[in-house]
Coordinates of all heavy atoms in Angstrom, one line a residue:
A146 N -19.8 3.3 -7.5 CA -18.6 3.1 -8.4 C -17.4 2.8 -7.5 O -17.3 3.3 -6.4 CB -18.4 4.3 -9.3
F147 N -16.5 2.1 -8.1 CA -15.3 1.7 -7.3 C -14.2 2.7 -7.7 O -13.2 2.4 -8.3 CB -14.8 0.3 -7.7 CG -15.8 -0.7 -7.2 CD1 -16.9 -1.1 -8.0 CD2 -15.7 -1.4 -6.0 CE1 -17.8 -2.0 -7.6 CE2 -16.6 -2.4 -5.6 CZ -17.7 -2.7 -6.4
E148 N -14.4 4.0 -7.3 CA -13.5 5.1 -7.7 C -12.4 5.4 -6.7 O -11.3 5.9 -7.1 CB -14.3 6.3 -8.1 CG -15.2 6.1 -9.3 CD -16.0 7.3 -9.6 OE1 -16.0 8.2 -8.8 OE2 -16.6 7.3 -10.7
D149 N -12.7 5.2 -5.4 CA -11.7 5.5 -4.4 C -10.5 4.6 -4.5 O -10.7 3.4 -4.9 CB -12.3 5.5 -3.0 CG -13.2 6.7 -2.8 OD1 -13.1 7.7 -3.5 OD2 -14.2 6.6 -2.0
R150 N -9.4 5.0 -4.0 CA -8.2 4.2 -4.0 C -8.4 2.9 -3.2 O -7.9 1.8 -3.6 CB -7.0 4.9 -3.5 CG -5.7 4.1 -3.6 CD -4.4 4.8 -3.2 NE -3.4 3.8 -3.2 CZ -2.8 3.4 -2.1 NH1 -3.1 3.9 -0.9 NH2 -1.8 2.4 -2.1
I151 N -9.0 3.0 -2.0 CA -9.3 1.9 -1.2 C -10.8 1.7 -1.0 O -11.4 2.7 -0.6 CB -8.6 2.0 0.2 CG1 -7.1 2.3 0.1 CG2 -8.8 0.8 1.0 CD1 -6.5 2.7 1.4
V152 N -11.3 0.6 -1.4 CA -12.7 0.3 -1.3 C -13.0 -1.0 -0.6 O -12.4 -2.0 -0.8 CB -13.4 0.2 -2.7 CG1 -14.9 0.0 -2.6 CG2 -13.1 1.5 -3.5
N153 N -13.9 -0.9 0.4 CA -14.3 -2.1 1.1 C -15.7 -2.5 0.7 O -16.7 -1.7 0.8 CB -14.3 -1.9 2.6 CG -14.7 -3.1 3.4 OD1 -14.2 -4.2 3.2 ND2 -15.6 -3.0 4.4
V154 N -15.9 -3.7 0.3 CA -17.2 -4.2 -0.1 C -17.7 -5.1 1.1 O -17.3 -6.2 1.3 CB -17.2 -5.1 -1.4 CG1 -18.6 -5.6 -1.7 CG2 -16.6 -4.3 -2.5
D155 N -18.7 -4.5 1.8 CA -19.2 -5.1 3.1 C -20.4 -6.0 2.8 O -21.4 -5.5 2.4 CB -19.5 -4.0 4.1 CG -19.9 -4.5 5.4 OD1 -20.2 -5.7 5.6 OD2 -20.0 -3.7 6.4
L156 N -20.3 -7.3 3.0 CA -21.3 -8.2 2.6 C -22.0 -8.9 3.8 O -22.8 -9.8 3.7 CB -20.8 -9.4 1.7 CG -20.1 -8.9 0.4 CD1 -19.3 -10.1 -0.2 CD2 -21.1 -8.4 -0.6
H157 N -21.6 -8.4 5.0 CA -22.0 -9.1 6.2 C -23.5 -9.1 6.5 O -24.0 -10.0 7.2 CB -21.2 -8.6 7.4 CG -21.8 -7.5 8.2 ND1 -21.7 -6.2 7.7 CD2 -22.6 -7.4 9.3 CE1 -22.3 -5.3 8.6 NE2 -22.9 -6.1 9.5
E158 N -24.3 -8.2 6.0 CA -25.7 -8.1 6.2 C -26.5 -8.9 5.2 O -27.7 -9.0 5.3 CB -26.2 -6.7 6.2 CG -25.7 -5.9 7.5 CD -26.5 -4.6 7.6 OE1 -27.7 -4.6 7.4 OE2 -25.8 -3.6 8.0
L159 N -25.8 -9.5 4.2 CA -26.5 -10.4 3.2 C -26.8 -11.7 3.9 O -26.0 -12.3 4.5 CB -25.7 -10.6 2.0 CG -25.4 -9.4 1.1 CD1 -24.6 -9.8 -0.1 CD2 -26.7 -8.7 0.7
S160 N -28.0 -12.2 3.7 CA -28.4 -13.5 4.2 C -27.7 -14.6 3.4 O -27.1 -14.3 2.3 CB -29.9 -13.7 4.1 OG -30.3 -13.7 2.7
S161 N -27.7 -15.8 3.9 CA -27.0 -16.9 3.2 C -27.6 -17.1 1.8 O -26.9 -17.4 0.9 CB -27.1 -18.2 4.0 OG -28.5 -18.5 4.3

Side-chain angles (χ1 to χ4, degrees):
F147 296 84
E148 294 179 349
D149 290 335
R150 182 177 172 246
I151 307 173
V152 180
N153 181 49
V154 181
D155 185 346
L156 303 167
H157 85 278
E158 289 193 42
L159 292 184
S160 64
S161 58

